[in-house]
């Protein structure tokens, strides 16, 4: 890192408090109007920055990394998922990558639980009915959903967020099942009250609700393939607050349209910010705009992690949230 104040380019608008601190500490180039960078703007940022602070909306591909200037030594991403960054290409260029894990766990788990409730209890369908002026009053058989209590919640990916979802779902009386690349130690399983399924396929066949909480990696791309989606029973619900790429979205839409699945709660999509119109046409689907971790408290905490990671790097210390490449 050069001895002069490092230039930090931030690709999106961050909370004021974080931007103020970035300006105090570094030669910070901020994005005042929050318009996502074009490919040219991103290339220019990569050429000029010592540190780049991207978000999930920036594609830091191998080609983009190849065009980075010699000054770029750290990509301090604002977010936990790092699937928008080609980690191998960064490593090959000697560029360190950091993220912001841990600080958005509870917010994302809250959104996941909200989507489980919204889909099973048809909350957004009810709200649409009221807003359309079509509610004709109470009836014993109208707006019937399903009770989460007593149902099996299958969690794909029992990391921090999966565990936080399990804690919430247990309070709603759901039994917890999970599939993970590694089984948790017995004491952790007992604490969470979770049953491990070595076979994802077998777990899917038993689930009432499937919650996707694993990262998107080459190993999890379309993990929920057409074949696996077909293992879910017709009364099952699917909730995804992780990444759209983990599910074969076209196959999911087909299953929902044919009522081979009861419903889906989605916060993430295959081609964000585009949402397939067929999803929006289905009453059994709740669509959110990738807002799983969108709380002011969470965004400030993410910004603090970014500041700490950059500061540690600049001062020559180990970067606390350095991303280490692992499989799922
Ligand atoms: C973040 C997310 O808001 O952190 C993640 O992986 O998906 C989101 O909740 C987003 O990534 C910010 O870059």
């Amino acid at each position: 890192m050069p001895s002069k104040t490092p230039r930090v380019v931030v690709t999106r608008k961050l909370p004021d408090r974080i931007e103020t601190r970035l300006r105090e500490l570094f030669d910070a180039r901020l994005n005042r109007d929050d318009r996502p960078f074009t490919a040219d703007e991103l290339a220019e940022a990569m050429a000029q920055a010592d540190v780049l602070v991207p978000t999930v909306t920036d594609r830091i591909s191998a080609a983009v990394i190849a065009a980075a200037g010699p000054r770029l030594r750290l990509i301090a991403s604002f977010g936990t998922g790092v699937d928008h960054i080609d980690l191998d290409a960064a490593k090959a260029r000697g560029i360190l990558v950091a993220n912001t894990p841990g600080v958005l766990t509870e917010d994302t788990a809250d959104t996941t639980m909200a989507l489980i409730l919204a889909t099973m209890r048809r909350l957004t369908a009810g709200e649409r009915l009221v807003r359309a002026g079509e509610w004709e009053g109470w009836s014993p058989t109208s707006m019937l959903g399903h009770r989460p209590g007593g149902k099996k919640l299958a969690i794909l990916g029992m990391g921090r967020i999966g565990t936080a979802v399990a804690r919430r779902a247990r309070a709603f009386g759901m039994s917890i099942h999970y599939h993970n690349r590694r089984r948790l130690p017995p004491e952790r399983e007992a604490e969470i009250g979770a049953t491990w399924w070595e076979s994802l396929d077998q777990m899917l066949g038993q689930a009432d609700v499937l919650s996707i909480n694993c990262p998107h990696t080459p190993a999890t791309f379309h993990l929920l393939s057409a074949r696996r989606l077909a293992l879910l029973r017709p009364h099952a619900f699917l909730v995804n607050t992780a990444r759209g790429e983990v599910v074969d979205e076209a196959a999911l839409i087909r299953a929902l349209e044919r009522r081979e699945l009861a419903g889906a709660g989605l916060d993430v999509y295959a081609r964000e910010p585009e949402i397939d119109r067929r999803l929006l046409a289905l009453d059994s689907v709740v669509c959110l705009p990738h807002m799983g971790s969108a709380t002011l408290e969470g965004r400030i905490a993410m910004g603090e992690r970014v500041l700490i990671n950059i500061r540690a790097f600049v001062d020559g210390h180990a970067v606390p949230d350095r991303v280490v490449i692992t499989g799922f």
Side-chain angles (χ1 to χ4, degrees):
M1 183 62 57
S3 54
K4 66 182 179 54
T5 312
R7 177 171 300 168
V8 176
V9 179
V10 184
T11 67
R12 300 297 298 267
K13 168 120 191 67
L14 302 185
D16 289 343
R17 191 199 300 185
I18 302 302
E19 292 198 335
T20 303
R21 198 68 190 123
L22 280 165
R23 264 198 310 264
E24 285 166 2
L25 291 172
F26 311 114
D27 171 15
R29 305 294 160 102
L30 305 174
N31 181 348
R32 286 184 201 294
D33 61 11
D34 196 37
R35 188 177 46 76
F37 279 14
T38 62
D40 285 349
E41 286 165 341
L42 188 58
E44 198 187 320
M46 299 284 288
Q48 291 180 357
D50 296 305
V51 178
L52 182 80
V53 180
T55 74
V56 70
T57 56
D58 303 295
R59 288 271 134 237
I60 317 287
S61 63
V64 168
I65 288 170
R71 295 171 60 162
L72 186 70
R73 301 295 315 288
L74 173 67
I75 297 176
S77 195
F78 183 88
T80 299
V82 284
D83 54 331
H84 56 297
I85 304 171
D86 190 318
L87 297 177
D88 292 323
K91 192 172 173 199
R93 277 290 303 266
I95 301 170
L96 210 120
V97 177
N99 64 344
T100 63
V103 291
L104 35 75
T105 303
E106 304 301 323
D107 295 324
T108 309
D110 285 345
T111 305
T112 307
M113 199 62 225
L115 279 175
I116 293 172
L117 294 172
T119 48
M120 295 189 84
R121 295 298 309 274
R122 306 180 61 199
L123 301 182
T124 52
E127 216 247 359
R128 278 196 297 276
L129 185 81
V130 171
R131 282 188 189 274
E134 287 168 9
W135 183 43
E136 288 173 356
W138 187 86
S139 136
T141 52
S142 79
M143 292 312 303
L144 300 185
H146 293 279
R147 177 189 296 162
K151 303 295 191 308
K152 292 192 181 90
L153 172 64
I155 298 179
L156 174 56
M158 192 59 104
R160 291 188 186 89
I161 296 172
T163 305
V165 171
R167 267 203 328 271
R168 284 158 176 75
R170 277 191 75 188
F172 282 84
M174 303 185 87
S175 64
I176 310 301
H177 303 258
Y178 78 100
H179 173 81
N180 205 41
R181 83 194 124 120
R182 270 195 308 268
R183 185 173 182 170
L184 300 180
E187 61 280 8
R188 286 290 292 144
E189 267 184 13
E191 199 185 309
I192 301 167
T195 303
W196 184 61
W197 292 75
E198 184 169 13
S199 158
L200 171 60
D201 289 6
Q202 281 175 17
M203 180 176 81
L204 294 175
Q206 296 298 313
D208 297 309
V209 181
L210 171 69
S211 175
I212 299 172
N213 298 109
C214 63
H216 166 219
T217 67
T220 65
F221 177 78
H222 282 197
L223 189 58
L224 268 300
S225 58
R227 180 189 71 76
R228 287 212 172 92
L229 287 169
L231 299 173
L232 289 165
R233 296 173 295 177
H235 71 264
F237 294 86
L238 178 148
V239 168
N240 190 1
T241 52
R243 284 291 182 269
E245 288 89 340
V246 179
V247 182
D248 179 340
E249 198 174 270
L252 174 67
I253 294 169
R254 274 197 305 277
L256 288 162
E257 284 177 340
R258 294 177 189 160
R259 294 180 195 274
E260 291 161 2
L261 265 184
L266 305 175
D267 186 43
V268 288
Y269 306 89
R271 281 170 298 278
E272 295 179 18
E274 261 174 60
I275 301 187
D276 193 303
R277 307 299 304 173
R278 292 171 296 171
L279 285 171
L280 300 176
L282 286 163
D283 216 40
S284 60
V285 177
V286 177
C287 290
L288 297 181
H290 198 147
M291 58 187 279
S293 66
T295 66
L296 181 58
E297 295 86 345
R299 293 288 186 254
I300 288 173
M302 289 161 77
E304 297 283 357
R305 298 303 314 169
V306 168
L307 284 161
I308 290 166
N309 287 325
I310 302 176
R311 194 57 199 249
F313 183 76
V314 169
D315 290 349
H317 299 298
V319 175
D321 301 318
R322 175 186 186 150
V323 174
V324 181
I325 305 173
T326 56
F328 159 61

